[in-house]
Amino acid sequence: MKFLVHKTYWLCLTLAWLLFPFYSQAQQKTVTGKVRADDGGTLIGVSVAIKGTTTGTTTNASGEYRLEVPSSGATLVFTMMGYLKQEQAADGGRLDVVLKTDPKALEEVVVVGYGTQKRSDVTGSIFTVSSKKIQEVPVTNAAAALQGRVPGVLVDKGGNRPGEGVRVQIRGRRSFQASNDPLYVIDGIPIDAGINDIDPDDIETMEVLKDASATAIYGSRGANGVILITTRRGRAGKLSVRYGGYLGIDEPINVERRMNAAEFVAYRRESKRADKEYPEGTISLADDLKMFGEFGNDRYVMDNIRNAWAGGAYDPSKLKSTDWGSFALRDGFVQDHSLSLTAGTEMTKVFFAVGYQNQKGIIHNQDFGRWSARLTVDQQVTKSIKVGMVNYFSYSKQNYGSDLFQASAQASPMAPTHDENGNLIPVPSNDTQTFNILFDLNGITRERLRSRYLGSFYGEIKLPFNFRYRLNLGIDYGPYREGQFESSFSSGRKLAPSYGRVLNENRFNYNLQNLLYWDLESSASNKHQVNVTLGQEVQGFRFENSEIEASDFPYEAQKWYNLSTASKITAADSELRERKLASFLGRVNYGYDNRYLLTASIRADGSSVLAEGHKWSYFPSASIAWRISQESFLKDNAVVNELKLRVGYGVTGNAAVSPYSTQGSIEQTRYVWENQGDKPVNGFRPDNLPNSALGWENTATTNVAIEFGFLKNRINGSVDVYRQKTSNLLMDRALPPTSGFDNILQNVGETSNSGVEIALNTMNIATKDFQWRTEIVFTANRERIERLYQGRKDDIGNRWFIGHPIQTFYTERKIGIWQNTPEDKALMDKYNAAGSSYQTGMVKVADINNDGKITTEDREIIGTANPKWTGSISNSFNYKGWDLSFFFVTRQQYILENHLGLTFQGRYNTPLVDYWTPENPTNKFPRPHNGYENPPANGAMYFEDGSHVRLKNVSLGYKLPSKLLKRAGISSFRVYATGTNLYIWSKDFNGLDPEVFAESNSRPVRSPSSRSYVFGVNVEF
């Protein structure tokens, strides 16, 4: 009996399990419908969810949805950003819904320090760059996309190598010794090592904070401006998959024209004639062989010369010429791929992305690759509690390579690369100062590996009485390894013993923020709006490195991986730097009747790097704004839609004091005692004097601006006028020799910047099928040194002059070339009698003080590397599914020091220029002279006007119609072609690129720029 009951129980259970799906299905009904906006437009991606469950869907490209719901009692919740949430009972059948626009969503929201604000409520100078603008230009560093997009922001390339960073300056330079780079803040967390590791595809917006009323909330780190980066996050709705990728080619541009063999022979003859070592007015085989035989009668060069003289007469067309630069250059290749997944409900939102970028440089042995992954989770735990995290990891590998193009510049075009047996010739032309660059392809390796983890975690809780508390924790960890190896057969070693080096670095930063908010929103009965932010923040920074150098390896294949086998360890070093920063901050935003706005903030920073009694500094700011367009006499005006006047003042700092600077330092030295023989003994001596009064550099800024919008905002923009004064600049003050020290670091300098910034946006044409938009950006900045360590006295040695920018050029003024005329000969004799050594064909400079001689007193300020003004203009056109845009940038009225790789000794190859000869009495470049490696006043000829206009970007795209994509389940599909860095128009600049920066006044030749053509696709499912 028990057996029968047992069997019956399991039979009933099995039948119930089998029938449950049919029963469940009988209890479900299908609801379909369409969701529209209140203006009648179709809404795509609306979240449709069953209330109280995680079951839901989203509307498709036609705004339609389909969802299985319980047969009774079901309520559907319709949500979409920018629209009011709506709930509707659903018992099956068709349910069409119209969502109403959320009035609050019509206000653009911008990110500010430690929070957000409506654009209309902002009282500081803040400029937003959207993800669309960032992705228009294919770049590895998102900061490069700011070029020409933001008034007051100057972006220079750090070089043309793949993976190189950029230098960003906001409203000019302020500091002599400290960094002028802005502070980067990612998702509310300040970071310390730039954004070169961040995938630009992961960025939603970049807000640039320029004036002190906006940046003072960041205190001692805000003087150089702040760039706030908001990354992409998850959103409610069904799973959305997005892929973006492009492939492209890079080709070298502005490659200098170097001399071929025939031109080099003529150039070398002229250099010998100037030194009386080659007969004037005639040429001969014997003289040519003597001229090229001074380095050991290289048989290939000698045979080349003899071949040109075959038949008894010189025929330059018979010379064999080697273009060494062509072996350094190649066409590059670039590819970028990003895949992201977005999903979520009203309670949980998830975003996951992976990215890969690879760039093969236009110079051999230079390339860059980066892999990245990012996971974002936002969880609404309860109605009052919200937590979330962002985890970002990247790994990059840069083959830095050698300066292959630069190394090829001086190689003789008369010498071949290989011998008759196909072997590389180590020293072409037998000149030991040049080496065959083809050995560098395998003989020089410089590999940089960088990993980076960025973690951001937060918890937020809503408290009674409109209070809100938020805890943020940020982690930035980045190990770095650089390995370098140079074979004995390389241009770096030139047959000397091989060389290896390895550098390891570890960087760890953390940031902990406690933030308390109180918000009082305005209403019809209350015209006052108040937002209060209070915060406490702790930041820690730790950096350590170790480095070893060695030479003469038993086998070169080991590179830097086994340095202990080297015959000699040439150097070993290690370092540790730590610092901590504690801060308290507060800000009040007040608005009355949406017309009168006030923002006031203060921050206190205390740093471990400063001495006792000087650790704390305070950074206040205040700004007001008047929305004139909201006054009764302008409100609802058909022409003027927005008119706002802003005025702000604030003080920010530059955390320029390095750890341990206030304590002084010692350095190792070696002594040889009489009783120790020749064996040195290690000792230590003071290196730097301590200065317990060192403090931060401070910048006070006043900003006045007006924002406007006319004709339904079809014409809108802003004009900012500012002045900033930076004091307490860190400078080395000279000390008397009796002190035992050369100088001491003190806060003594002062600089200023003033300027005007204009941003203008216009919607020129707006019809149903066609739109044409224009964006114009203009900036004029004046940078001045106001005070140095000796007060208002110039420092000529460092080229620092009161009333002039930091980077100023001070030299003789070139007025031509000394000609073979009676007037020039008489003047040369006069100057030479006074101590000069000029000859016909040399650079002629001005006698500035008219004292009848050329001395250092005849130097003058000839210009600055700071453009008087910069600007850009972009135009975008949309016609149905097509889009076209082009983008120009310009810098005007500034000077660059451009050496061009010129050598006038006649020994090395050089770019082909218009140089002086008796038959060609030009005033452009001097006569080559074998007896002078650096002829008198040659430095005066290298300064050129860098003014230029660059066609930065042209893009053409097409977005496929949604009707074609619907069947494939594709929401959006766009293909495009983009050309970048297409052309440069310049009047006088003859260098490689007028926007590749150098830290010093010189602008060394490194590598050409490249022109890119990319083809890409953006797909969303």
Side-chain angles (χ1 to χ4, degrees), residues 63-115:
E64 298 176 344
Y65 71 94
R66 180 185 179 93
L67 185 64
E68 299 292 329
V69 303
S71 59
S72 62
T75 299
L76 296 186
V77 182
F78 297 83
T79 56
M80 186 176 189
M81 185 175 295
Y83 294 87
L84 295 172
K85 182 172 70 172
Q86 189 172 146
E87 297 183 3
Q88 292 284 347
D91 295 325
R94 186 169 184 84
L95 178 61
D96 294 332
V97 173
V98 176
L99 294 184
K100 294 182 179 180
T101 303
D102 184 353
K104 295 182 179 179
L106 295 177
E107 288 276 12
E108 181 187 357
V109 175
V110 298
V111 179
V112 297
Y114 302 96

Side-chain angles (χ1 to χ4, degrees), residues 201-220:
D201 288 332
D202 287 338
I203 296 177
E204 189 71 34
T205 62
M206 297 176 72
E207 259 87 20
V208 182
L209 282 57
K210 296 183 290 182
D211 72 333
S213 66
T215 63
I217 197 71
Y218 288 102
S220 63

Side-chain angles (χ1 to χ4, degrees), residues 261-263 265 304-305 307-308 314-321 414:
E263 293 159 345
V265 169
N304 208 359
I305 284 290
N307 188 57
Y314 176 69
D315 183 357
S317 65
K318 294 181 179 180
L319 288 170
K320 296 179 181 180
S321 186
M414 292 286 291

Side-chain angles (χ1 to χ4, degrees), residues 395-571:
Y395 171 80
S396 64
K397 177 181 178 181
Q398 181 189 30
N399 286 321
Y400 192 82
S402 63
D403 292 328
L404 203 60
F405 185 77
Q406 175 74 0
S408 71
Q410 298 182 349
S412 171
M414 292 286 291
T417 60
H418 295 75
D419 61 21
E420 60 273 12
N421 298 318
N423 300 314
L424 289 175
I425 301 173
V427 186
S429 76
N430 269 345
D431 187 342
T432 56
Q433 295 302 307
T434 62
F435 200 83
N436 193 329
I437 65 165
L438 296 184
F439 279 102
D440 291 355
L441 296 178
N442 297 312
I444 294 182
T445 304
R446 195 169 180 181
E447 181 183 84
R448 297 177 171 182
L449 302 180
R450 187 187 305 274
S451 299
R452 192 171 188 182
Y453 169 76
L454 288 171
S456 176
F457 307 88
Y458 75 89
E460 185 174 299
I461 180 170
K462 292 183 179 178
L463 302 171
F465 309 108
N466 295 325
F467 282 97
R468 180 165 48 94
Y469 168 75
R470 183 181 177 100
L471 173 68
N472 291 329
L473 173 64
I475 296 173
D476 185 357
Y477 173 66
Y480 170 81
R481 191 271 285 157
E482 179 176 338
Q484 181 179 352
F485 180 79
E486 295 181 2
S487 166
S488 59
F489 280 84
S490 68
S491 61
R493 305 303 292 172
K494 297 183 176 64
L495 303 181
S498 53
Y499 167 82
R501 164 181 166 268
V502 64
L503 169 68
N504 285 286
E505 295 179 349
N506 264 296
R507 177 181 44 80
F508 177 78
N509 303 335
Y510 69 85
N511 182 287
L512 181 65
Q513 301 171 359
N514 290 279
L515 302 171
L516 182 65
Y517 302 93
W518 182 70
D519 303 307
L520 176 64
E521 299 296 333
S522 61
S523 62
S525 60
N526 175 32
K527 295 184 179 181
H528 302 275
Q529 176 179 319
V530 183
N531 306 100
V532 179
T533 302
L534 299 174
Q536 180 267 338
E537 185 174 11
V538 176
Q539 301 174 67
F541 311 86
R542 178 185 173 90
F543 172 84
E544 60 179 283
N545 70 8
S546 61
E547 183 177 13
I548 300 177
E549 299 180 37
S551 65
D552 196 6
F553 294 87
Y555 58 99
E556 296 188 343
Q558 71 183 46
K559 297 182 179 178
W560 55 84
Y561 292 107
N562 194 8
L563 297 181
S564 63
T565 63
S567 297
K568 186 177 182 181
I569 302 297
T570 57

Side-chain angles (χ1 to χ4, degrees), residues 469-739:
Y469 168 75
R470 183 181 177 100
L471 173 68
N472 291 329
L473 173 64
I475 296 173
D476 185 357
Y477 173 66
Y480 170 81
R481 191 271 285 157
E482 179 176 338
Q484 181 179 352
F485 180 79
E486 295 181 2
S487 166
S488 59
F489 280 84
S490 68
S491 61
R493 305 303 292 172
K494 297 183 176 64
L495 303 181
S498 53
Y499 167 82
R501 164 181 166 268
V502 64
L503 169 68
N504 285 286
E505 295 179 349
N506 264 296
R507 177 181 44 80
F508 177 78
N509 303 335
Y510 69 85
N511 182 287
L512 181 65
Q513 301 171 359
N514 290 279
L515 302 171
L516 182 65
Y517 302 93
W518 182 70
D519 303 307
L520 176 64
E521 299 296 333
S522 61
S523 62
S525 60
N526 175 32
K527 295 184 179 181
H528 302 275
Q529 176 179 319
V530 183
N531 306 100
V532 179
T533 302
L534 299 174
Q536 180 267 338
E537 185 174 11
V538 176
Q539 301 174 67
F541 311 86
R542 178 185 173 90
F543 172 84
E544 60 179 283
N545 70 8
S546 61
E547 183 177 13
I548 300 177
E549 299 180 37
S551 65
D552 196 6
F553 294 87
Y555 58 99
E556 296 188 343
Q558 71 183 46
K559 297 182 179 178
W560 55 84
Y561 292 107
N562 194 8
L563 297 181
S564 63
T565 63
S567 297
K568 186 177 182 181
I569 302 297
T570 57
D573 194 18
S574 61
E575 180 185 16
L576 170 66
R577 296 198 302 266
E578 290 183 304
R579 56 191 171 96
K580 290 181 173 60
L581 186 71
S583 308
F584 297 92
L585 60 97
R587 179 179 58 211
V588 176
N589 297 100
Y590 172 76
Y592 175 74
D593 198 21
N594 206 26
R595 291 182 293 166
Y596 311 115
L597 306 168
L598 166 69
T599 300
S601 71
I602 187 167
R603 178 175 177 128
D605 279 345
S607 176
S608 64
V609 303
L610 301 180
E612 293 294 335
H614 300 275
K615 289 187 178 294
W616 287 90
S617 294
Y618 302 90
F619 305 94
S621 76
S623 57
I624 58 174
W626 176 24
R627 294 193 67 195
I628 308 172
S629 55
Q630 294 299 306
E631 297 290 352
S632 57
F633 56 85
L634 270 182
K635 199 170 186 178
D636 301 323
N637 187 284
V639 177
V640 181
N641 309 116
E642 179 65 38
L643 191 62
K644 181 166 71 173
L645 178 65
R646 293 188 278 107
V647 179
Y649 173 83
V651 178
T652 54
N654 190 344
V657 179
S658 299
Y660 325 119
S661 296
T662 62
Q663 301 174 5
S665 61
I666 60 175
E667 69 175 355
Q668 187 181 49
T669 185
R670 296 194 173 200
Y671 295 89
V672 178
W673 301 95
E674 292 184 4
N675 59 353
Q676 296 290 331
D678 295 330
K679 186 177 180 181
V681 178
N682 288 333
F684 295 89
R685 67 178 180 87
D687 181 30
N688 291 311
L689 271 177
N691 183 355
S692 61
L694 280 180
W696 282 309
E697 301 176 348
N698 294 324
T699 298
T701 303
T702 302
N703 196 96
V704 179
I706 188 167
E707 298 177 6
F708 55 85
F710 305 125
L711 302 175
K712 297 183 179 180
N713 283 321
R714 290 184 60 169
I715 301 174
N716 66 84
S718 63
V719 179
D720 282 71
V721 179
Y722 63 89
R723 177 172 174 79
Q724 55 186 23
K725 182 179 179 180
T726 303
S727 56
N728 295 326
L729 288 173
L730 288 172
M731 302 190 72
D732 288 320
R733 185 173 68 84
L735 294 176
T738 54
S739 69

Side-chain angles (χ1 to χ4, degrees), residues 109-176:
V109 175
V110 298
V111 179
V112 297
Y114 302 96
T116 59
Q117 274 186 287
K118 292 186 296 184
R119 168 68 70 180
S120 60
D121 291 344
V122 171
T123 59
S125 182
I126 301 177
F127 203 93
T128 302
V129 179
S130 66
S131 58
K132 180 181 178 182
K133 297 297 182 184
I134 295 171
Q135 294 169 12
E136 279 184 1
V137 181
V139 292
T140 59
N141 189 320
L146 296 176
Q147 184 184 27
R149 300 294 188 185
V150 183
V153 175
L154 194 66
V155 180
D156 286 313
K157 293 185 292 184
N160 290 314
R161 281 180 167 89
E164 286 287 83
V166 298
R167 181 177 67 182
V168 178
Q169 290 181 5
I170 300 177
R171 293 184 170 180
R173 297 180 185 87
R174 280 154 290 275
S175 181
F176 294 97

Side-chain angles (χ1 to χ4, degrees), residues 276 817-833 838-841 844 916:
K276 311 299 183 183
I817 302 295
W818 289 109
Q819 303 295 329
N820 192 20
T821 63
E823 296 81 6
D824 271 16
K825 286 184 176 180
L827 192 56
M828 267 195 300
D829 291 341
K830 178 181 178 181
Y831 289 161
N832 289 343
Y838 292 118
Q839 298 179 19
T840 301
K844 182 180 181 182
W916 191 95

